[in-house]
Amino acid sequence: MKLPEHLLLVDDEEEFATTLAERLELRGIRTLVAHDGKTALQMAQEHGPFQVMVLDVLMPGMGGLEVLRRLREITPQVPVILLTGQGSTRDGIEGMRQGAFAYLNKPVDLEELLRTLAEALSNQEGNL
Amino acid sequence: MSHDPIQTMGTLTTMTTHELQNVLAIIRESAGLLGDILDANASVRLKHRPKMDEALGHIATQVDRAKKLLDALNRMGHSPDPDVQDACDLALQAQALLHLCQRPARLKEITLQFTPATHPLLVQTPALTVFTEGFAFLRALLDVCPSQSCLEISLDSTPEDHRLVARPSSPGDPKPVLDALPQGRINYHNGTFTLAYPVRQP
């Protein structure tokens, strides 16, 4: 399973995002973290392109779907994986319609996330 | 903004379950990180390592348990949503109901065995109706089933209906269960209770 070397993780739950980032780092994935949509867009411009982005849907201020829409203008090729609550499956489906690669329900299982990251990367490389 | 009491309770429930999903996510990742650190230092001999692994295992198990309950609660909270008022998926509603009924079953020492559907079962009935009727049906069954018995729940279909099917290991008198909903909603035949909903027409 080939994993991405670097990704951007966007989630307003700081403890969740930083802890998940540490776990991804332990698996060799350099992970930058943004806690809001505006910062995520800035980081995508300044530090991108990332191989994959993991994006929470429900965030204060600019929501994940709006971030996704704007990301598509900056980095149209980068696969995006959405994190949704169970009841927000509709947001996940809407995100897929807007070009997200996949959506996962929170609390996400790390092995499932790693599998999805690998699939996103493989799909991305196949499209190049 | 709706002032409907049921819709308000649903909104409050879903808002809270979203927040709790975030809490669970933090607990899961924090426990996972501890496990990662222990694994990365496997060569260091820790006297209490087995206890630590056991405790981390308990956390993971309980997070999974809480996640299933929260998912069920979330589905219940969304059932009054306006966009599920014309139809719903009986398979998902039944699964959520069964998770929420595990505790009353355990308190009565009844084994609740559920065989989930393998595909969506769309019915022409609002989610809230399915949820409240399904709950009344299951509560009545749990009330009449004796302690130490087993209650098998599954889903069945005909061309016209999708059905919630209940087979108690000790059926006893069916009347209290049949009386749980208005006359004729619950059917009983040969030890099996059914609660049927018309298939959603395309």
Side-chain angles (χ1 to χ4, degrees), chain A residues 38-55:
Chain A
K38 202 173 155 192
T39 309
L41 293 171
Q42 273 172 3
M43 289 173 85
Q45 279 181 316
E46 290 167 16
H47 304 282
F50 294 91
Q51 283 178 293
V52 184
M53 293 190 204
V54 179
L55 179 59

Side-chain angles (χ1 to χ4, degrees), chain A residues 23 27 87-88 90 106-107, chain B residues 18 22 28-29 36 74 83:
Chain A
R23 298 192 74 195
R27 285 157 179 82
S88 312
R90 271 166 290 176
K106 277 175 138 183
Chain B
H18 277 296
N22 283 327
R28 172 178 271 180
E29 293 315 320
D36 288 348
N74 195 279
D83 58 350

Side-chain angles (χ1 to χ4, degrees), chain A residues 1 52 81 101-104 111-121:
Chain A
M1 184 163 76
V52 184
I81 296 167
F101 175 75
Y103 68 91
L104 299 173
E111 292 306 315
E112 190 183 3
L113 175 61
L114 293 173
R115 264 196 312 275
T116 310
L117 287 172
E119 284 167 13
L121 185 64

Side-chain angles (χ1 to χ4, degrees), chain B:
Chain B
M1 177 91 56
S2 167
H3 292 288
D4 175 71
I6 292 175
Q7 210 154 7
T8 303
M9 295 299 282
T11 304
L12 283 168
T13 303
T14 54
M15 278 164 49
T16 310
T17 55
H18 277 296
E19 197 66 352
L20 286 170
Q21 280 164 343
N22 283 327
V23 173
L24 282 186
I26 293 167
I27 294 171
R28 172 178 271 180
E29 293 315 320
S30 300
L33 181 59
L34 280 176
D36 288 348
I37 292 167
L38 285 173
D39 288 345
N41 294 281
S43 57
V44 179
R45 198 157 167 265
L46 292 169
K47 187 181 168 191
H48 298 294
R49 173 73 201 248
K51 285 271 175 214
M52 291 178 193
D53 287 338
E54 191 184 345
L56 289 173
H58 289 326
I59 293 172
T61 304
Q62 294 309 312
V63 166
D64 284 343
R65 179 184 173 197
K67 182 182 185 306
K68 284 177 186 158
L69 282 168
L70 273 186
D71 289 351
L73 209 52
N74 195 279
R75 187 157 300 284
M76 184 196 81
H78 275 295
S79 60
D81 286 359
D83 58 350
V84 289
Q85 284 312 296
D86 57 342
C88 75
D89 182 354
L90 180 62
L92 290 178
Q93 299 292 331
Q95 190 150 32
L97 271 171
L98 264 291
H99 279 307
L100 294 176
C101 285
Q102 286 295 341
R103 182 169 167 75
R106 207 167 50 247
L107 286 174
K108 265 201 81 179
E109 299 179 288
I110 295 167
T111 306
L112 207 48
Q113 285 181 347
F114 178 53
T115 308
T118 53
H119 53 276
L121 302 173
L122 297 179
V123 295
Q124 197 80 45
T125 309
L128 185 61
T129 305
V130 171
F131 218 95
T132 50
E133 285 192 357
F135 185 63
F137 180 47
L138 290 174
R139 278 300 295 269
L141 283 158
L142 290 173
D143 281 347
V144 299
C145 284
S147 177
Q148 310 289 340
S149 66
C150 177
L151 178 58
E152 287 178 32
I153 307 289
S154 58
L155 293 146
D156 195 7
S157 295
T158 69
E160 294 82 31
D161 297 319
H162 294 310
R163 297 167 175 190
L164 197 54
V165 180
R167 290 185 196 87
S169 60
S170 310
D173 177 13
K175 192 171 182 309
V177 178
L178 297 175
D179 288 347
L181 290 175
Q183 185 84 36
R185 284 295 297 121
I186 300 170
N187 288 300
Y188 178 75
H189 178 67
N190 208 13
T192 299
F193 295 92
T194 52
L195 178 58
Y197 294 97
V199 171
R200 183 184 187 182
Q201 299 306 319

